């Protein structure tokens, strides 16, 4: 599995041409996913993504041709899936991963691929994430998993306030 890197794809296929490579992108910025569908470089007006390291609005011509040569498929993961994967990696593996680094594992955790009885490698790269960003993302994941709640209470103020 490769997230969006033509260098990794080129190397893996050179070492083992039978290895199947799956690209993973955020649903918010699916430039290569859309480019593959139209078979030409494609520019997206994507939204912000917590996978900002792969939030490429347009796949360059050279990268596009290399990826098309080596990548077998590309799938998308949601922002919530990326956030929950960052939390999972931290809690269960003691790994601090940035959004772009977590997308391949997100594809696995959220059953985007049939991997039963297959040897799988997820490229898990990048720990370049600010503490406040990490806390915001993991907080969002905890809320999505209903492990944390946000209470908003409107209470009338007493006399004189």
């Amino acid at each position: 599995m490769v997230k969006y890197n033509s260098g990794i794809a080129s190397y893996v296929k050179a070492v083992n041409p039978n290895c199947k490579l799956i690209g993973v992108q955020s649903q918010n910025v699916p430039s290569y996913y859309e480019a593959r569908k139209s078979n030409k470089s494609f520019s997206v007006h994507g939204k912000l993504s917590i996978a900002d390291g792969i939030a490429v609005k347009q796949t360059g011509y050279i990268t596009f041709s290399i990826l098309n040569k080596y990548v077998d498929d590309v799938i998308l993961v949601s922002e919530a899936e990326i956030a929950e994967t960052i939390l999972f990696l931290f809690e269960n593996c003691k790994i601090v991963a940035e959004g772009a680094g977590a997308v391949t594992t997100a594809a696995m955790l959220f059953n985007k691929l049939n991997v039963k009885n297959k040897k799988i490698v997820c490229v898990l790269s990048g720990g370049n994430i600010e503490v406040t960003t990490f806390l915001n993302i993991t907080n969002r994941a905890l809320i999505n998993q209903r492990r944390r709640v946000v209470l908003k209470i409107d209470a009338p103020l007493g006399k004189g306030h």
Side-chain angles (χ1 to χ4, degrees), residues 21-36:
L21 295 176
I22 309 298
V24 183
Q25 282 193 298
S26 165
Q27 289 176 348
N28 278 11
V29 192
S31 57
Y32 179 63
Y33 178 84
E34 294 297 334
R36 259 182 94 91

Side-chain angles (χ1 to χ4, degrees), residues 1-2 5-23 32 36 65-74 121 123:
M1 199 181 278
V2 63
N5 190 306
S6 59
I8 293 172
S10 301
Y11 176 79
V12 169
K13 286 291 188 169
V15 172
N16 183 353
N18 297 320
C19 186
K20 186 173 182 181
L21 295 176
I22 309 298
Y32 179 63
R36 259 182 94 91
S65 62
I66 293 170
L67 290 173
N68 278 349
K69 183 176 180 181
Y70 297 119
V71 174
D72 298 292
D73 197 5
V74 63
V121 173
V123 175

Side-chain angles (χ1 to χ4, degrees), residues 4-122:
Y4 195 67
N5 190 306
S6 59
I8 293 172
S10 301
Y11 176 79
V12 169
K13 286 291 188 169
V15 172
N16 183 353
N18 297 320
C19 186
K20 186 173 182 181
L21 295 176
I22 309 298
V24 183
Q25 282 193 298
S26 165
Q27 289 176 348
N28 278 11
V29 192
S31 57
Y32 179 63
Y33 178 84
E34 294 297 334
R36 259 182 94 91
K37 286 184 357 185
S38 64
N39 200 31
K40 62 181 179 180
S41 186
F42 190 90
S43 181
V44 295
H45 300 288
K47 305 170 193 165
L48 291 177
S49 175
I50 58 177
D52 58 345
I54 58 169
V56 178
K57 304 271 190 228
Q58 182 171 1
T59 306
Y61 173 76
I62 294 171
T63 303
F64 179 71
S65 62
I66 293 170
L67 290 173
N68 278 349
K69 183 176 180 181
Y70 297 119
V71 174
D72 298 292
D73 197 5
V74 63
I75 58 172
L76 302 175
V77 291
S78 73
E79 294 295 301
E81 291 166 342
I82 299 168
E84 289 190 38
T85 301
I86 290 170
L87 178 63
F88 173 87
L89 289 168
F90 180 71
E91 288 184 323
N92 296 285
C93 306
K94 307 307 180 224
I95 293 172
V96 176
E98 64 183 71
V103 294
T104 57
T105 306
M108 299 299 302
L109 288 176
F110 290 92
N111 302 313
K112 302 286 180 161
L113 299 166
N114 176 14
V115 296
K116 189 174 182 177
N117 299 321
K118 295 180 182 169
K119 294 178 184 177
I120 305 298
V121 173
C122 293

